[in-house]
Amino acid sequence: GIRVCTEVSTDEPLFTFDLQNAKLERVLQEITNTCTNYVWEYDKSADCLNIYPAENSKTSRVFQSLDFGNVNLIDFLKKDGHLKLDEQSLYFDPARGNLTWLKTPMTVQGEGLSTRQVLNRLCLQLPFKAHWQIRKTEAGARGKLILTFRRFW
């Protein structure tokens, strides 16, 4: 299956609809028709589909140049880490359970990569098949935007 990563900036359900036997193109069309303030893009190099807010996306920050080799994942994601999540008002939540995967050595190189594209590339290097998700923790202005990595089969 294709990796789908989402950034949801609201505490309301992003979309709900019932499509049976629909192709991916039809699902994406329905998403953008239903939630006109969201867009999608396919990151071919990471084989990943991203759905995110059309305006004020926290993952749109572009890095002029990145060249990190053998850096532990947690060093990318901690508060003052390489992705500077704190500057984008994002918080990383490693979830529970066995967290040895946070010590997975990562390599990211490239120019003009967005935070979204970097997260896609990090997913490819995890020891399990994963996608990332940004979601709001609470309703209203008090809610924080939390970044998590989720396992999928």
Side-chain angles (χ1 to χ4, degrees):
I2 191 168
R3 181 178 288 107
V4 178
C5 301
T6 57
E7 175 187 344
V8 180
S9 61
T10 177
D11 49 347
E12 298 296 320
L14 181 57
F15 41 80
T16 55
F17 47 84
D18 184 18
L19 297 174
Q20 296 179 3
N21 300 322
K23 293 186 180 204
L24 181 59
E25 183 179 352
R26 174 74 174 104
V27 172
L28 294 172
Q29 180 183 26
E30 191 64 30
I31 290 171
T32 54
N33 288 345
T34 304
C35 301
T36 56
N37 54 336
Y38 281 81
V39 295
W40 65 270
E41 74 179 9
Y42 177 67
D43 182 350
K44 186 175 181 178
S45 65
D47 191 27
C48 185
L49 181 68
N50 296 129
I51 301 171
Y52 57 95
E55 295 180 15
N56 301 318
S57 169
K58 299 294 183 183
T59 60
S60 292
R61 177 182 181 170
V62 174
F63 297 91
Q64 288 190 4
S65 180
L66 289 175
D67 188 7
F68 296 106
N70 268 349
V71 175
N72 287 346
L73 177 62
I74 192 64
D75 292 328
F76 274 100
L77 302 174
K78 62 186 177 184
K79 183 178 177 185
D80 58 348
H82 301 302
L83 286 182
K84 308 274 187 240
L85 296 178
D86 55 327
E87 291 178 8
Q88 300 169 71
S89 300
L90 292 174
Y91 302 89
F92 173 62
D93 178 11
R96 297 180 188 158
N98 182 347
L99 301 179
T100 58
W101 59 275
L102 289 172
K103 295 181 180 176
T104 303
M106 300 282 167
T107 300
V108 176
Q109 297 173 321
E111 295 180 10
L113 295 175
S114 68
T115 301
R116 197 168 33 253
Q117 292 169 313
V118 173
L119 292 172
N120 293 344
R121 282 150 184 77
L122 294 176
C123 279
L124 288 176
Q125 298 175 63
L126 287 172
F128 51 88
K129 197 168 186 178
H131 67 274
W132 59 266
Q133 177 184 48
I134 295 174
R135 59 183 168 68
K136 202 166 188 183
T137 57
E138 298 178 35
R142 291 183 7 181
K144 293 182 180 179
L145 291 173
I146 301 294
L147 167 66
T148 57
F149 288 88
R150 302 268 185 221
R151 187 180 304 257
F152 80 99
W153 314 104

